Amino acid sequence: MKRRFRCPVEAKKEYVVEVLSGLRTEVVARKYGMSPKTLTTWVRQYEDEVGELVAKKQKETQQIQQDAANYQELQEKYDEALKLLGAKELENQILKDLVKKKYPDYKQR
């Protein structure tokens, strides 16, 4: 005898949202340890009720994509700033070496 997969209605709706957002039924079912047939039944049953949850999930996905783009832009700016800082440190060291050669008695602070 097979065991029944019991869970709250809200959890069922979350699983349905995952399927409606583009994941394959088999993948979601395997992820939560249930039969794909059970999940397909829930999708048919709750498809009309999860419209706002699907919209919320899509909005979250768009926000994550936007944050990832912003992160990439900030990472590029950070890398450029590190290059500039390295160049300035090298320039400072060269100037210090030149001062030492010209004024051997000069003491640094």
Side-chain angles (χ1 to χ4, degrees):
M1 184 174 207
K2 294 183 179 180
R3 79 172 185 43
R4 292 183 59 122
F5 189 85
R6 297 184 186 270
C7 67
V9 174
E10 290 303 316
K12 291 178 184 180
K13 288 181 180 181
E14 287 296 324
Y15 304 155
V16 170
V17 167
E18 286 189 37
V19 171
L20 293 178
S21 67
L23 292 176
R24 294 185 60 206
T25 305
E26 294 82 12
V27 172
V28 176
R30 190 177 311 122
K31 179 178 175 182
Y32 295 108
M34 68 176 79
S35 166
K37 185 176 180 180
T38 302
L39 187 56
T40 304
T41 304
W42 291 349
V43 169
R44 276 191 243 114
Q45 183 179 0
Y46 296 112
E47 190 171 20
D48 297 334
E49 299 176 24
V50 296
E52 64 187 41
L53 290 175
V54 170
K56 180 182 172 186
K57 188 95 166 174
Q58 288 174 344
K59 189 175 183 179
E60 288 174 359
T61 303
Q62 288 175 348
Q63 183 64 38
I64 289 171
Q65 289 173 346
Q66 185 179 7
D67 290 346
N70 289 343
Y71 173 77
Q72 184 65 29
E73 182 181 330
L74 288 174
Q75 186 67 38
E76 289 171 3
K77 287 181 180 179
Y78 175 76
D79 291 342
E80 182 65 26
L82 282 179
K83 286 180 186 176
L84 291 173
L85 180 63
K88 289 297 178 188
E89 287 179 357
L90 182 62
E91 184 180 343
N92 283 343
Q93 190 61 42
I94 291 170
L95 291 173
K96 285 179 184 178
D97 289 345
L98 287 174
V99 168
K100 280 183 186 178
K101 286 180 182 178
K102 189 163 186 170
Y103 303 103
D105 297 334
Y106 178 75
K107 293 183 181 179
Q108 293 181 1
R109 294 184 207 176

PDB file of all heavy atoms in Angstrom, residues 87-99:
ATOM      1  N   ALA A  87      47.835  51.308  -9.323  1.00  0.00           N
ATOM      2  CA  ALA A  87      48.674  52.193 -10.134  1.00  0.00           C
ATOM      3  C   ALA A  87      49.182  53.363  -9.299  1.00  0.00           C
ATOM      4  O   ALA A  87      50.350  53.752  -9.396  1.00  0.00           O
ATOM      5  CB  ALA A  87      47.888  52.699 -11.342  1.00  0.00           C
ATOM      6  N   LYS A  88      48.332  53.936  -8.461  1.00  0.00           N
ATOM      7  CA  LYS A  88      48.741  55.064  -7.609  1.00  0.00           C
ATOM      8  C   LYS A  88      49.779  54.623  -6.577  1.00  0.00           C
ATOM      9  O   LYS A  88      50.740  55.345  -6.303  1.00  0.00           O
ATOM     10  CB  LYS A  88      47.534  55.676  -6.895  1.00  0.00           C
ATOM     11  CG  LYS A  88      46.616  56.427  -7.812  1.00  0.00           C
ATOM     12  CD  LYS A  88      47.329  57.606  -8.431  1.00  0.00           C
ATOM     13  CE  LYS A  88      46.440  58.352  -9.384  1.00  0.00           C
ATOM     14  NZ  LYS A  88      47.146  59.378 -10.124  1.00  0.00           N
ATOM     15  N   GLU A  89      49.617  53.444  -6.009  1.00  0.00           N
ATOM     16  CA  GLU A  89      50.597  52.944  -5.043  1.00  0.00           C
ATOM     17  C   GLU A  89      51.948  52.729  -5.716  1.00  0.00           C
ATOM     18  O   GLU A  89      52.996  53.050  -5.145  1.00  0.00           O
ATOM     19  CB  GLU A  89      50.104  51.651  -4.400  1.00  0.00           C
ATOM     20  CG  GLU A  89      48.993  51.866  -3.403  1.00  0.00           C
ATOM     21  CD  GLU A  89      48.500  50.578  -2.780  1.00  0.00           C
ATOM     22  OE1 GLU A  89      48.970  49.475  -3.153  1.00  0.00           O
ATOM     23  OE2 GLU A  89      47.628  50.671  -1.899  1.00  0.00           O
ATOM     24  N   LEU A  90      51.931  52.199  -6.919  1.00  0.00           N
ATOM     25  CA  LEU A  90      53.171  51.999  -7.671  1.00  0.00           C
ATOM     26  C   LEU A  90      53.834  53.339  -7.971  1.00  0.00           C
ATOM     27  O   LEU A  90      55.046  53.495  -7.801  1.00  0.00           O
ATOM     28  CB  LEU A  90      52.878  51.242  -8.965  1.00  0.00           C
ATOM     29  CG  LEU A  90      54.076  50.903  -9.837  1.00  0.00           C
ATOM     30  CD1 LEU A  90      55.034  49.978  -9.082  1.00  0.00           C
ATOM     31  CD2 LEU A  90      53.625  50.253 -11.128  1.00  0.00           C
ATOM     32  N   GLU A  91      53.037  54.304  -8.377  1.00  0.00           N
ATOM     33  CA  GLU A  91      53.561  55.640  -8.659  1.00  0.00           C
ATOM     34  C   GLU A  91      54.175  56.256  -7.402  1.00  0.00           C
ATOM     35  O   GLU A  91      55.268  56.844  -7.453  1.00  0.00           O
ATOM     36  CB  GLU A  91      52.431  56.534  -9.183  1.00  0.00           C
ATOM     37  CG  GLU A  91      52.858  57.914  -9.593  1.00  0.00           C
ATOM     38  CD  GLU A  91      51.692  58.745 -10.110  1.00  0.00           C
ATOM     39  OE1 GLU A  91      50.639  58.170 -10.457  1.00  0.00           O
ATOM     40  OE2 GLU A  91      51.843  59.967 -10.153  1.00  0.00           O
ATOM     41  N   ASN A  92      53.499  56.117  -6.272  1.00  0.00           N
ATOM     42  CA  ASN A  92      54.034  56.641  -5.007  1.00  0.00           C
ATOM     43  C   ASN A  92      55.367  55.985  -4.650  1.00  0.00           C
ATOM     44  O   ASN A  92      56.302  56.653  -4.198  1.00  0.00           O
ATOM     45  CB  ASN A  92      53.039  56.443  -3.865  1.00  0.00           C
ATOM     46  CG  ASN A  92      51.910  57.438  -3.896  1.00  0.00           C
ATOM     47  OD1 ASN A  92      52.007  58.456  -4.556  1.00  0.00           O
ATOM     48  ND2 ASN A  92      50.835  57.125  -3.191  1.00  0.00           N
ATOM     49  N   GLN A  93      55.452  54.686  -4.837  1.00  0.00           N
ATOM     50  CA  GLN A  93      56.690  53.978  -4.514  1.00  0.00           C
ATOM     51  C   GLN A  93      57.833  54.437  -5.414  1.00  0.00           C
ATOM     52  O   GLN A  93      58.961  54.628  -4.953  1.00  0.00           O
ATOM     53  CB  GLN A  93      56.495  52.459  -4.634  1.00  0.00           C
ATOM     54  CG  GLN A  93      57.630  51.651  -4.094  1.00  0.00           C
ATOM     55  CD  GLN A  93      57.862  51.905  -2.614  1.00  0.00           C
ATOM     56  OE1 GLN A  93      56.938  52.006  -1.825  1.00  0.00           O
ATOM     57  NE2 GLN A  93      59.124  52.025  -2.228  1.00  0.00           N
ATOM     58  N   ILE A  94      57.544  54.640  -6.694  1.00  0.00           N
ATOM     59  CA  ILE A  94      58.567  55.125  -7.626  1.00  0.00           C
ATOM     60  C   ILE A  94      59.052  56.505  -7.207  1.00  0.00           C
ATOM     61  O   ILE A  94      60.262  56.790  -7.180  1.00  0.00           O
ATOM     62  CB  ILE A  94      58.023  55.137  -9.071  1.00  0.00           C
ATOM     63  CG1 ILE A  94      57.828  53.702  -9.560  1.00  0.00           C
ATOM     64  CG2 ILE A  94      58.949  55.901 -10.005  1.00  0.00           C
ATOM     65  CD1 ILE A  94      57.085  53.599 -10.878  1.00  0.00           C
ATOM     66  N   LEU A  95      58.113  57.382  -6.842  1.00  0.00           N
ATOM     67  CA  LEU A  95      58.489  58.729  -6.410  1.00  0.00           C
ATOM     68  C   LEU A  95      59.315  58.696  -5.121  1.00  0.00           C
ATOM     69  O   LEU A  95      60.277  59.448  -4.970  1.00  0.00           O
ATOM     70  CB  LEU A  95      57.242  59.596  -6.232  1.00  0.00           C
ATOM     71  CG  LEU A  95      56.517  59.965  -7.528  1.00  0.00           C
ATOM     72  CD1 LEU A  95      55.208  60.673  -7.211  1.00  0.00           C
ATOM     73  CD2 LEU A  95      57.388  60.824  -8.411  1.00  0.00           C
ATOM     74  N   LYS A  96      58.963  57.811  -4.200  1.00  0.00           N
ATOM     75  CA  LYS A  96      59.739  57.677  -2.963  1.00  0.00           C
ATOM     76  C   LYS A  96      61.160  57.214  -3.271  1.00  0.00           C
ATOM     77  O   LYS A  96      62.128  57.712  -2.687  1.00  0.00           O
ATOM     78  CB  LYS A  96      59.061  56.692  -2.010  1.00  0.00           C
ATOM     79  CG  LYS A  96      57.836  57.251  -1.332  1.00  0.00           C
ATOM     80  CD  LYS A  96      57.205  56.202  -0.422  1.00  0.00           C
ATOM     81  CE  LYS A  96      55.920  56.719   0.185  1.00  0.00           C
ATOM     82  NZ  LYS A  96      55.266  55.713   1.039  1.00  0.00           N
ATOM     83  N   ASP A  97      61.298  56.270  -4.184  1.00  0.00           N
ATOM     84  CA  ASP A  97      62.626  55.781  -4.563  1.00  0.00           C
ATOM     85  C   ASP A  97      63.453  56.898  -5.203  1.00  0.00           C
ATOM     86  O   ASP A  97      64.659  57.025  -4.943  1.00  0.00           O
ATOM     87  CB  ASP A  97      62.513  54.600  -5.524  1.00  0.00           C
ATOM     88  CG  ASP A  97      61.996  53.338  -4.850  1.00  0.00           C
ATOM     89  OD1 ASP A  97      62.001  53.292  -3.595  1.00  0.00           O
ATOM     90  OD2 ASP A  97      61.574  52.404  -5.568  1.00  0.00           O
ATOM     91  N   LEU A  98      62.817  57.718  -6.031  1.00  0.00           N
ATOM     92  CA  LEU A  98      63.526  58.841  -6.649  1.00  0.00           C
ATOM     93  C   LEU A  98      63.981  59.857  -5.605  1.00  0.00           C
ATOM     94  O   LEU A  98      65.089  60.391  -5.683  1.00  0.00           O
ATOM     95  CB  LEU A  98      62.637  59.529  -7.690  1.00  0.00           C
ATOM     96  CG  LEU A  98      62.411  58.765  -8.989  1.00  0.00           C
ATOM     97  CD1 LEU A  98      61.399  59.482  -9.869  1.00  0.00           C
ATOM     98  CD2 LEU A  98      63.721  58.578  -9.738  1.00  0.00           C
ATOM     99  N   VAL A  99      63.142  60.113  -4.616  1.00  0.00           N
ATOM    100  CA  VAL A  99      63.508  61.056  -3.548  1.00  0.00           C
ATOM    101  C   VAL A  99      64.681  60.495  -2.753  1.00  0.00           C
ATOM    102  O   VAL A  99      65.619  61.223  -2.409  1.00  0.00           O
ATOM    103  CB  VAL A  99      62.292  61.344  -2.638  1.00  0.00           C
ATOM    104  CG1 VAL A  99      62.714  62.067  -1.370  1.00  0.00           C
ATOM    105  CG2 VAL A  99      61.254  62.160  -3.389  1.00  0.00           C
TER     106      VAL A  99
END
